[in-house]
Amino acid sequence: MSQPPHVLMVDDNLFDVELTREALVELGFGGSFATVSNGLEALAYLRGDPPYGDRMRPSLVLLDLNMPRLDGRSTLARIKADAALCDIPVVILSTSESERDVLDCYRGHAAAFITKPVTMDDLIDKLRVVCQLWLGGVAALPHGPEAAPTDSGEVPP
């Protein structure tokens, strides 16, 4: 039996974090949810660096673009450049509607780009689709760091 899904949200806006948490509860999300407020904390969390040594490996990362210290664009690039992390789907959840941001994020291997909705109902609708695709068994996902590519770029058997 596989573990319940674990979502990491990377966003410095506490209001958006709480709205997302509430929307997931409303959807009956049966997994766990963790948050960090910037890209540097996200990378430490994902790598299991202190103080995140006992953290669960996320099934999905929800990433904001505009944050202090290390923004979402740079965080996405670092996640996708790290062989131990690059297989984790990263969904951009941002207020940006910039075509340049959308293009850059997809070129940076984001799994999806979602503009933060204005209403709670719209947020629930968008998160329902994200959860169905990435966490509901529609998309097959690797499970754990052993699925990361080796130095040769091949996935171990």
Side-chain angles (χ1 to χ4, degrees):
M1 180 195 250
S2 65
Q3 290 186 345
H6 178 60
V7 173
L8 174 65
M9 184 169 186
V10 185
D11 197 320
D12 64 319
N13 185 319
L14 294 178
F15 182 73
D16 287 347
V17 169
E18 284 309 310
L19 281 180
T20 301
R21 185 187 316 271
E22 289 176 27
L24 289 171
V25 167
E26 183 74 23
L27 287 168
F29 174 66
S32 55
F33 181 78
T35 65
V36 294
S37 62
N38 64 65
L40 292 177
E41 290 177 2
L43 293 170
Y45 184 99
L46 291 168
R47 293 176 179 145
D49 295 341
Y52 306 107
D54 62 346
R55 62 73 174 120
M56 292 177 57
R57 179 182 170 88
S59 311
L60 177 70
V61 174
L62 299 175
L63 179 64
D64 186 28
L65 290 183
N66 300 310
M67 299 177 293
R69 299 186 68 201
L70 185 67
D71 70 9
R73 295 159 198 81
S74 298
T75 303
L76 176 64
R78 291 185 188 186
I79 291 170
K80 294 306 175 179
D82 187 322
L85 305 176
C86 64
D87 58 332
I88 300 171
V90 177
V91 172
I92 305 302
L93 188 58
S94 176
T95 56
S96 174
E97 295 182 22
S98 161
E99 186 64 29
R100 171 55 55 194
D101 283 342
V102 173
L103 181 61
D104 288 348
C105 288
Y106 280 114
R107 286 183 174 168
H109 304 286
F113 189 106
I114 298 172
T115 300
K116 288 179 181 176
V118 176
T119 70
M120 184 64 153
D121 286 341
D122 288 343
L123 178 61
I124 290 169
D125 289 344
K126 288 184 178 191
L127 286 177
R128 178 179 290 114
V129 172
V130 168
C131 288
Q132 286 172 341
L133 178 61
W134 293 111
L135 306 174
V138 174
L141 297 175
H143 299 287
E146 64 279 355
T150 62
D151 289 336
S152 66
E154 297 176 18
V155 174

